[in-house]
Amino acid sequence: MIKNETESRNQQSRIKRLISAFDLVNPRMGKVFFPWLLKHPKYFRQAFTLLKAFEKAEEKRAQQLARGLLIPPVVILSITSGCNLSCEGCFACATGTVSQPQEAGGNAGPGPSLDYTQWKRIIAEASQAGVFCFLIAGGEPFLFPETFQLVRDFPHLLFVVFTNGTMMSDSILQDLKKAHNLLVAVSLEGDETLTDLRRGKGTYRKAMDTLRILEKNGVLNGISVTINRLNYGFWAKEEHIDRMIESGVRIAFLTEMIPVSGGEEDYPDTSYGMAYATMLTDEERSTFRQRVLYYREHKNLFIIHSPGDEEAFGGCVSAGKGFIHITPYGDVTPCPVSNIATDNLKTCSFENAMRSELFKRIREEEHLLETGNGPCALFSHQKEVEALRKEVGAYRTGT
């Protein structure tokens, strides 16, 4: 009897600690995720492991900062340059992160991609430095054979995998069911017409099937949406958000369309011109932001909205302020839409890469991280960023 009472009190104490941790990161996080965790015991037990690791990572970053080294809590891994889709306006393709055969008119890539052993070393070094969360992108992460092996290798770290949702298989599902430190975000543009228009015919149905499979099998899931002039009205309608919530979606990454460089006139009849032409206007951006704030107040959905959420952090959090990006070839860039770097992790340690003069100067020249009236700070200051690149001797990646 005493033993049971002690175990009960310990469990209650751990639950309170977990709720407090959610509240520390974001008060809405606990409201959205905690009920789901209670229904899925394996994830619930894993949450305490992650909580302990999160607290340890916070301590490590504080110690690093005291020594003069800023370590971001999040690292974005473009784990593969391969992709089975050719989406309109894909910034990963434009920056050289996604490689395409030269015979298809694309860039075949600057050299060999990182393999499993190299990625494992990088994640280990980043974790040791104080990184807690890894966003796995690409390319299409399901094309990298050891994606889920890496997730299993680091059960104390949190991984978010961004997939186009078209490659689900029985073997992948079994891998997903074994990983309890993982959230899967499936890319959508809106309904079938909007999604297939950008991503190719049949993509929507496959993506929705993947979401249904994930929910049915108890895999924590969400959606990733590129917001532009074609679909912002769709997501501004409450019923579409409600449908996602009813289907089991717990988190939505809403990122505004970002042209990579230049303007529509620089890319006639190309997908990059399309990206520029469909970028939200100032009025549309303001209107959509109000809808996001409304959803946060009234919907049981955790939303990450870029660039809107950056206001709370005083601007963009790239260049190590909140995250950095690693290309499939090992280059360390300020963010996924920038293609400049000073270090490559094939020959450089993670901590040394975080000492990048490029990152330091971007953070010090704070106006470079001000989004202004566009969807991306660095895109809004292209000429200044290019001048800085030359000044610090940074190179262009993906070529």
Side-chain angles (χ1 to χ4, degrees), residues 39-58:
K39 295 179 181 178
H40 298 83
K42 291 181 180 180
Y43 275 90
F44 186 72
R45 290 191 292 271
Q46 187 70 30
F48 293 106
T49 298
L50 293 175
L51 171 58
K52 185 176 181 179
F54 169 76
E55 293 172 338
K56 187 174 182 180
E58 291 276 287

Side-chain angles (χ1 to χ4, degrees), residues 291-310:
R291 292 304 289 168
V292 170
L293 295 177
Y294 170 82
Y295 293 150
R296 282 197 174 134
E297 183 69 23
H298 297 93
K299 303 298 178 181
N300 191 33
L301 180 70
F302 191 76
I303 300 176
I304 296 176
H305 177 215
S306 178
D309 290 346
E310 294 172 357

Side-chain angles (χ1 to χ4, degrees), residues 63-127:
Q63 293 168 358
Q64 295 274 30
L65 189 59
R67 292 194 290 265
L69 181 59
L70 180 64
I71 299 294
V74 176
V75 169
I76 303 171
L77 310 177
S78 286
I79 202 166
T80 176
S81 62
C83 190
N84 62 317
L85 299 182
S86 298
C87 302
E88 293 284 343
C90 174
F91 64 75
C93 188
T95 58
T97 295
V98 170
S99 62
Q100 294 181 335
Q102 290 180 338
E103 59 268 22
N107 182 351
S113 297
L114 298 175
D115 60 22
Y116 162 74
T117 301
Q118 290 169 313
W119 279 121
K120 185 175 180 179
R121 173 184 60 80
I122 290 168
I123 294 172
E125 289 184 1
S127 173

